[in-house]
Amino acid sequence: MTKLVSSDHKGASILVAQLVTCGLKHAVISPGSRNAPLTIAFDSHPDITTHVVIDERSAAHFALGLSLESGIPAAVVCTSGTASLNHGPAIAEAFHHRIPLISISADRPTSVIEKGHGQSVFQTGVFSKNCKHSILIDELELSDEAIIVETKKAFDIASSGTSVHINVPFEEPLYSKSEKGELHLIDGSRRITCDFDIPDELIGSDAKVLVLGGSLPFYRDCTGLVLSVPGICEKFCGISGDAVIHSGDMFLAKNDGCWPDNLIPDFVITIGTPTLSKALRNKLIELKPKHYHVSSSGKGWDTWGGLVKTIECDPKAWLFEFEKRNDINVEYSASWSKVEKHANIDGVSWSDALAFGIILNNLPLNTKVHLSNSTSARYIQLIEHPKLLRIHCNRGVSGIDGCTSTAVGDAIESDGLVILVSGDVAFLYDINGLASVEEIPSNFKAIVINNGGGEIFRWLNGPDEVGLVDKYFETRPRTKVKSAAEYCGLGYFCASDLNGTKAALSQLIASDNPAVLEIMTDPITSTEVYKTILRR
């Protein structure tokens, strides 16, 4: 039984009180008028930490970052109209990456929608299949008890590792407070299911089993898990082992695009997001091994049409149990242990690959490394580095929007160093993740590898052949990284060669304030080096 002074709108005061009772700790708020009742309610509650981020798209990714380590949903709050639509990219990322997130949008009264009132769009259910659960909490229609029940349900669903959207219409006036009566709030209940079902066909000594690991959020990652079975496990999941490699692209490139017969699996166990290697996906579509997916949500990816079953269990817990029960195929595992794990970058020209090697091998242990998508996510699979680095990339929908904002949100909740490694296009695309944030913690640092645009389009067949790579695909940004850093109030360092990068990286790490290191590389040289080291 709780008594509180809060907004006089019960759609805000009861909603917030119940979210806190369920376990909510953080609310990210974007300024607006229609969401004033929600702002008042969150600010009034002593058990909530509020954060202000002006840009709604950045705010939603910031909230995503707050949830990464704990697995407890953070709430992101916005006003009515198109503001709510800006939560869309983060909601989709949370849904497909299995990260808890609660989007709360204020709305105009239901009775005035589509009647010419300002800042009104169709908000309820707007995210459709990219959101696990969507509800309308209309305080004019619902009782106190109904608001409590609906709010608890939304929180519990988000806690399972997904996104939910709560749309709340408010009548004016919006800014008044009042003392509420006793509320019969309900404790949250995080459903934990772990099915240790391990099919017999996976554990026989003749079974050729391959683990395929994609990205997992930090609260689910497999850091420290050493497998004896073979695996192609991207570094976003934290798995290692003598027979574990990390880059599907390098594996196929070194075999001229073929999958050696002695390495073809009978069974593939997948965890996390789908592999980032398109070539590997296409090869599995061709081979069609039997496929088991392990996911805490019970939702799987039938990427190549071979899915037998999705096992609902925490991936790390299930793999530990699988390792204990498994009668390993020694010959198959030994064959995979001979496959090269990392690219040889010795003696290569100054390039993106060499810059990544310097960065990853000169960071303090236990650093969290966030990556933008595109080339950064791929280079990190190639470069050998200390295993204690924890690595995240927004691989749910693999967009460049929100990579910076997510890293800043995670840094708020982290005690140690959080490093974002980004390309110049991705960094400037999400510059509001720095410019519109009220607080940038001192443990946040960004490294921008400036190769003059979207280098990945030089890797692909097509853009260069049609003669449009410079104008439409690589798109060299007009804004300078240094100017952007100064605009956001960040320290700035720059390097353009090996020794300069080592020195500037040391200065960046030692800085007492959030700062940016820009590393200059040549895109054509970097592309040539990338293609060379894949085949070395």
Side-chain angles (χ1 to χ4, degrees):
M1 303 239 312
T2 304
K3 184 178 287 189
L4 64 147
V5 176
S6 185
S7 167
D8 65 353
H9 284 270
K10 68 178 186 180
S13 58
I14 298 177
L15 170 73
V16 170
Q18 180 57 51
L19 287 174
V20 173
T21 298
C22 286
L24 190 81
K25 303 294 183 186
H26 294 274
V28 184
I29 299 172
S30 298
S33 184
R34 189 59 52 170
N35 62 330
L38 291 164
T39 300
I40 292 167
F42 276 115
D43 183 74
S44 299
H45 205 292
D47 296 327
I48 283 287
T49 301
T50 57
H51 312 268
V52 179
V53 180
I54 297 170
D55 183 281
E56 286 89 2
R57 189 183 70 185
S58 296
H61 281 99
F62 185 100
L64 193 79
L66 289 168
S67 302
L68 276 182
E69 185 67 46
S70 67
I72 299 172
V76 58
V77 181
C78 71
T79 193
S80 64
T82 55
S84 62
L85 303 182
N86 284 313
H87 285 182
I91 285 175
E93 177 64 27
F95 177 79
H96 292 283
H97 205 163
R98 316 301 190 213
I99 300 171
L101 180 67
I102 299 174
S103 163
I104 307 175
S105 56
D107 202 353
R108 300 277 161 167
T110 304
S111 60
V112 306
I113 300 300
E114 207 178 14
K115 292 184 178 178
H117 290 247
Q119 286 186 287
S120 61
V121 299
F122 296 108
Q123 292 180 204
T124 302
V126 70
F127 302 113
S128 188
K129 292 185 179 181
N130 288 302
C131 183
K132 178 68 174 179
H133 183 65
S134 180
I135 59 171
L136 173 69
I137 292 185
D138 191 335
E139 62 187 7
L140 299 181
E141 300 291 334
L142 298 180
S143 66
D144 294 6
E145 292 75 15
I147 294 173
I148 289 169
V149 170
E150 290 296 331
T151 302
K152 180 187 180 298
K153 180 181 178 181
F155 186 91
D156 288 348
I157 291 172
S159 294
S160 70
T162 190
S163 55
V164 302
H165 175 218
I166 303 173
N167 193 50
V168 194
F170 294 113
E171 296 268 9
E172 297 182 15
L174 303 169
Y175 293 89
S176 300
K177 284 185 176 184
S178 67
E179 181 175 287
K180 298 300 176 184
E182 300 290 351
L183 297 174
H184 296 270
L185 303 174
I186 310 171
D187 290 338
S189 55
R190 297 181 70 183
R191 185 174 63 91
I192 301 174
T193 300
C194 213
D195 178 5
F196 287 108
D197 172 33
I198 298 177
D200 291 339
E201 63 181 354
L202 296 180
I203 56 179
S205 60
D206 294 330
K208 295 181 178 179
V209 178
L210 181 73
V211 175
L212 192 63
S215 181
L216 291 165
F218 286 139
Y219 78 102
R220 290 284 188 205
D221 71 17
C222 298
T223 299
L225 178 59
V226 180
L227 290 183
S228 57
V229 296
I232 304 176
C233 299
E234 292 163 2
K235 293 181 181 178
F236 316 127
C237 67
I239 293 175
S240 61
D242 289 340
V244 173
I245 65 171
H246 305 292
S247 173
D249 286 330
M250 189 173 79
F251 166 65
L252 292 175
K254 288 182 178 294
N255 292 288
D256 296 321
C258 299
W259 197 304
D261 289 344
N262 66 323
L263 300 178
I264 293 176
D266 298 323
F267 310 97
V268 172
I269 299 167
T270 59
I271 63 168
T273 58
T275 175
L276 61 79
S277 172
K278 184 177 181 180
L280 189 67
R281 285 199 304 273
N282 289 339
K283 188 57 65 175
L284 287 167
I285 290 171
E286 178 185 320
L287 296 173
K288 281 190 167 52
K290 285 188 175 181
H291 175 199
Y292 290 88
H293 184 75
V294 182
S295 167
S296 56
S297 70
K299 301 293 183 182
W301 315 100
D302 190 12
T303 309
W304 56 89
L307 185 65
V308 178
K309 183 179 181 181
T310 295
I311 300 169
E312 186 173 1
C313 192
D314 175 78
K316 188 172 186 177
W318 190 91
L319 287 171
F320 266 124
E321 187 67 20
F322 173 67
E323 285 277 291
K324 285 194 296 183
R325 297 190 202 176
N326 183 37
D327 188 6
I328 189 171
N329 185 324
V330 176
E331 183 179 352
Y332 186 62
S333 184
S335 297
W336 273 97
S337 67
K338 296 174 184 177
V339 176
E340 195 169 348
K341 291 184 178 66
H342 299 103
N344 176 11
I345 59 172
D346 292 341
V348 301
S349 302
W350 178 244
S351 57
D352 289 0
L354 197 54
F356 262 90
I358 294 168
I359 293 165
L360 295 174
N361 286 285
N362 288 277
L363 294 176
L365 298 181
N366 298 311
T367 296
K368 286 185 178 180
V369 179
H370 281 247
L371 300 164
S372 65
N373 274 294
S374 193
T375 57
S376 298
R378 289 163 173 79
Y379 274 120
I380 204 161
Q381 312 305 328
L382 304 174
I383 308 300
E384 186 172 10
H385 62 76
K387 294 177 183 177
L388 289 178
L389 297 180
R390 299 180 69 200
I391 300 165
H392 175 79
C393 186
N394 284 348
R395 294 300 304 174
V397 286
S398 308
I400 65 171
D401 44 357
C403 296
T404 302
S405 306
T406 304
V408 175
D410 185 35
I412 291 285
E413 275 288 86
S414 301
D415 295 327
L417 185 64
V418 175
I419 293 275
L420 167 71
V421 184
S422 178
D424 49 320
V425 173
F427 179 74
L428 293 169
Y429 188 91
D430 192 28
I431 196 62
N432 270 0
L434 298 170
S436 72
V437 177
E438 182 186 45
E439 51 185 331
I440 303 176
S442 60
N443 62 329
F444 171 82
K445 319 290 180 187
I447 299 174
V448 181
I449 298 180
N450 189 342
N451 49 36
E455 183 198 345
I456 198 169
F457 292 104
R458 293 187 178 274
W459 300 2
L460 304 177
N461 295 324
D464 206 23
E465 283 79 354
V466 297
L468 300 175
V469 67
D470 290 319
K471 183 175 182 180
Y472 291 108
F473 296 97
E474 193 171 63
T475 55
R476 295 171 182 261
R478 178 173 55 83
T479 303
K480 302 299 182 185
V481 172
K482 181 179 181 181
S483 300
E486 291 172 348
Y487 173 70
C488 296
L490 303 177
Y492 175 80
F493 306 93
C494 186
S496 58
D497 57 24
L498 189 151
N499 291 329
T501 297
K502 287 182 178 179
L505 182 60
S506 295
Q507 292 177 298
L508 179 78
I509 294 169
S511 173
D512 293 331
N513 300 304
V516 176
L517 165 59
E518 181 179 19
I519 300 175
M520 313 297 293
T521 61
D522 179 74
I524 296 175
T525 301
S526 291
T527 298
E528 290 172 352
V529 168
Y530 174 77
K531 292 180 178 179
T532 298
I533 63 177
L534 283 185
R535 297 188 298 267
R536 267 190 174 184

